[in-house]
Amino acid sequence: MAPDLRVRLGSTELPNPVLTASGCASSGRELAQFIDVSKIGAVVTKSVMLAPRAGRPTPRMAETNSGMLNSIGLQGPGIDAFLQRDLPWLLSRGARAVVSIAGSTVDEYAELATRLSDAAGVTALEVNISCPNVEHRGQVFACDPVDAGAVIEAVRARARHDLPVFAKLSPDVTDIVQIARSCVSAGADGLSMINTLLGMVIDTETMRPVLAGLTGGLSGPAIRPIAVRCIWQVRAALPDVPIIGMGGVMTGRDALELILAGASMVSVGTAIFHDPSACARIARELDEELARRGVKRVSEIVGAAHEARAAASQGRVARMERT
Amino acid sequence: MTAGEHESESGPLQVRGTVLTVRQVDAYYAMTIVAPGIAARFKPGQFVAVAVGGPDTSMLLRRAFSIHDVRPDHGGTVEFVFAAAGRGTRWLAERKARDVLDLTGPLGRPFPVPRDPVSCLLVGGGYGSAPLFALASRLRQRRCSVDFLLGAASGDRVFGALTARRSGRSATITTVDGSLGVRGIVTDMLGQVIHEARTDVIYACGPMGMLRQVTALARRYDIPVQVAVEESMACGIGVCMTCVLPVVGTDGITKMVRSCVDGPVFRGEQVRWDEVGTIPFDAFGAPGWEPKMRRIPARPAADEARRHGHGA
Ligand SMILES: Cc1cc2nc3c(=O)[nH]c(=O)nc-3n(C[C@H](O)[C@H](O)[C@H](O)COP(=O)(O)OP(=O)(O)OC[C@H]3O[C@@H](n4cnc5c(N)ncnc54)[C@H](O)[C@@H]3O)c2cc1C
Ligand SMILES: Cc1cc2nc3c(=O)[nH]c(=O)nc-3n(C[C@H](O)[C@H](O)[C@H](O)COP(=O)(O)O)c2cc1C
Ligand code: FES
């Protein structure tokens, strides 16, 4: 029998746990040329801000071994255009929309939460807190437990009660569990991890940094072990909090690895640049991986790596049942 | 075909194509791949993005190449021409017939073609001339005349000099080292060619510096120019926002637009060449940008181009 890939996100049932990662699928429209966006778990949209934003100068990217750096600077049209154009399009295609929001002050995040709660059809909010806090000398919200908590508290207070709020964590911190706890205490319904890691590439011909913005976020399979470690640590500390895992997922096997570490859902980012049909392919491959192991429901194996012996024997039982 | 399940009528496709030939052409490689859907949908100026390095590659980003030619044989083939510049293109140069590559295309906006039979000058720098020959055929179908002005550092880097000489009404070649044609760069000869050919429209593809100069000269002669730009691209399909450059819209507003989907072809005078690689202070959404700055009068040159019937 085919494994059951369905997962719940708040009050919405997703057909499978494979989502796009914010900033790697825009608002889904371009991907729809390659895959049916209604058949993947959800489209997590590019982080939207209140006002239009031009982003950082080019060059904005550099390829690295099994990864890439990006410094887009949250270019986007702002919440008005998003609500007018992008959200209705996603909903018209039958896709589930997880909307990522970003701001420079706590109030901006709160305002975005209000605007998106008034709009019908949003499945969940993902709060990108890897942004500089202009009221705290540009300190990144995600790197400070108090600031991170303040954003989540404000968003939770303004978001419609049935709209799940996920805090997206940065791995560039000493203790990710501390930030996770702070966000959950502030009311986060779930956690997304990981955002990119800050990196730099220098062109040895020009002897200058490649990116115009000097530093950029590292993503892709190069960071997957870090994602697995972060998910593992947070799952161990907060076993009841749902996690959207991401970081270097290229295949169904990789998605399974993050699920075993504790993710209930998996976002796919950089892999989309390599293969625009990656999300659909990974959902299919995950299905095969689970079937091969005799797993009946994906929800059964979330965090299973924490109980290594139990999982192994369960797998054996399941296989025996099949034969 | 991997993603053929959900294709639209005219949009890009993702195709697993079999390599027919890889051959060396002077300083470049020309690769022909069987890609039926891409060939059928192709319009001159569009490009393909090719995954490199094989399964489990450490090179995650596709490489973009202008489509040089499409042919109907084998159900439809696509040819592109490339320089083995870095590790991805070197890997491509080592491919053999019957290897299978994953490519997406046709991507981007094609060159708009004039309604009337006018005099067209096609300017190419290095491998930038590769997309111009398919354009030339299309222009000739529209009974336009086609003149070529091609240049590069040396003779072996002028792609298609022979074809240009055979098929163009005229063909002018420049090389920096003087090994082929006139010693110098294309813009040295641009004024003279425009006069002799009574050029109505210019199409250009090549390095950004060349496109900028061609645009400046075209403006001086009051001739509309369509350029195909080359910005580094992570996705090629419009989802990542890495490939942006400042472009003035018909409404006079400068936006950071994606060259992969809003380009690579732009009207030359729309690109703010001096500010490529920056965020102009008055760009939509720039720091300090205010909605009140929205109305900047459209540039006269843009109106001129519209009168020539070249609205893309
Ligand atoms: C629309 C478009 C059309 C192009 N057409 C052609 C063509 O017809 N023939 C040809 O030889 N080249 C063409 N290029 C440039 C070609 O994409 C690069 O030369 C190629 O990507 C370099 O890859 P590499 O592995 O050799 O270099 P690497 O240095 O290993 O590349 C590293 C990364 O940087 C990107 N990159 C590096 N150089 C360029 C560049 N010049 N432009 C864009 N991205 C770059 C690569 O895509 C890759 O992601 C085109 C580029 C664009 C955007
Ligand atoms: C080009 C690019 C743009 C991104 N933009 C955003 C963004 O707007 N908001 C956000 O929360 N994360 C953003 N990310 C981070 C991804 O959502 C994801 O957390 C990260 O890339 C790790 O996943 P991956 O290795 O699958 O790409 C971006 C990543 C990339 C590569
Ligand atoms: S290359 Fe990704 S948006 Fe243009």
Side-chain angles (χ1 to χ4, degrees), chain B residues 104-312:
Chain B
T104 48
L107 301 169
R109 290 202 189 175
F111 287 112
V113 290
R115 281 180 222 105
D116 305 317
V118 297
S119 171
C120 303
L121 172 59
L122 278 48
V123 185
Y127 57 72
S129 50
L132 298 180
F133 299 98
L135 172 66
S137 308
R138 200 175 148 86
L139 290 170
R140 277 190 294 260
Q141 280 165 14
R142 297 256 173 149
R143 293 188 294 114
C144 292
S145 63
V146 174
D147 300 283
F148 284 101
L149 172 55
L150 308 181
S154 53
D156 61 337
R157 287 172 190 278
V158 181
F159 178 77
L162 206 63
T163 317
R165 283 186 171 142
R166 268 205 304 256
S167 68
R169 184 175 63 176
S170 76
T172 308
I173 313 291
T174 65
T175 50
V176 175
D177 67 0
S179 54
L180 190 68
V182 184
R183 185 188 296 270
I185 57 176
V186 288
T187 39
D188 296 342
M189 297 299 292
L190 191 63
Q192 189 183 325
V193 175
I194 288 171
H195 277 297
E196 287 171 8
R198 299 180 176 277
T199 300
D200 296 309
V201 185
I202 297 174
Y203 294 92
C205 182
M208 295 295 268
M210 181 198 103
L211 300 180
R212 170 197 173 127
Q213 287 183 40
V214 169
T215 301
L217 282 165
R219 261 179 106 158
R220 192 179 305 159
Y221 292 97
D222 211 6
I223 298 171
V225 56
Q226 299 282 347
V227 299
V229 302
E230 183 180 305
E231 275 289 341
S232 72
M233 295 179 177
C235 75
I237 57 167
V239 295
C240 75
M241 309 301 288
T242 62
C243 62
V244 300
L245 76 177
V247 170
V248 191
T250 44
D251 54 5
I253 302 174
T254 295
K255 287 191 173 154
M256 301 305 294
V257 307
R258 296 165 296 181
S259 56
C260 66
V261 288
D262 301 314
V265 176
F266 294 102
R267 292 215 314 264
E269 64 275 7
Q270 286 186 298
V271 178
R272 290 180 61 173
W273 298 102
D274 294 343
E275 279 109 345
V276 170
T278 72
I279 306 293
F281 77 95
D282 58 346
F284 183 75
W289 173 89
E290 297 286 342
K292 66 174 155 45
M293 294 178 70
R294 262 178 207 194
R295 295 278 149 201
I296 292 172
R299 297 183 180 192
D303 296 337
E304 186 60 30
R306 273 197 297 280
R307 268 205 302 279
H308 278 79
H310 275 270

Side-chain angles (χ1 to χ4, degrees), chain A residues 21-23 46-47 70 74 128 168 194-195 219-220 246-248 269-270:
Chain A
S22 177
K46 169 87 191 158
S47 294
N70 86 82
L74 295 176
N128 174 5
K168 181 159 175 181
I194 56 177
N195 213 318
S219 64
M246 67 208 74
T270 305

Side-chain angles (χ1 to χ4, degrees), chain B residues 66-86:
Chain B
S66 304
I67 297 173
H68 169 55
D69 198 11
V70 298
R71 285 173 188 282
D73 40 328
H74 301 275
T77 64
V78 168
E79 184 177 26
F80 56 88
V81 173
F82 63 98

Side-chain angles (χ1 to χ4, degrees), chain A residues 23-24 30 32-35 52-58 60-61 63-67 72 75 221 273-275 277, chain B residues 3 6 12 14 57-63 87 233-235 237-242 244 256 258 277 279 284-286:
Chain A
C24 301
E30 296 81 4
Q33 301 174 112
F34 301 96
I35 62 169
R53 191 162 151 121
R56 296 223 184 89
T58 54
R60 287 178 170 183
M61 69 99 170
E63 191 184 58
T64 61
N65 287 347
S66 297
I72 309 298
Q75 178 175 347
F273 306 159
H274 183 71
D275 172 10
S277 44
Chain B
H6 199 72
Q14 182 180 8
T57 178
S58 74
M59 295 180 275
L60 298 177
L61 305 178
R62 286 170 182 260
R63 271 49 175 176
R87 52 185 194 147
M233 295 179 177
C235 75
I237 57 167
V239 295
C240 75
M241 309 301 288
T242 62
V244 300
M256 301 305 294
R258 296 165 296 181
I279 306 293
F284 183 75

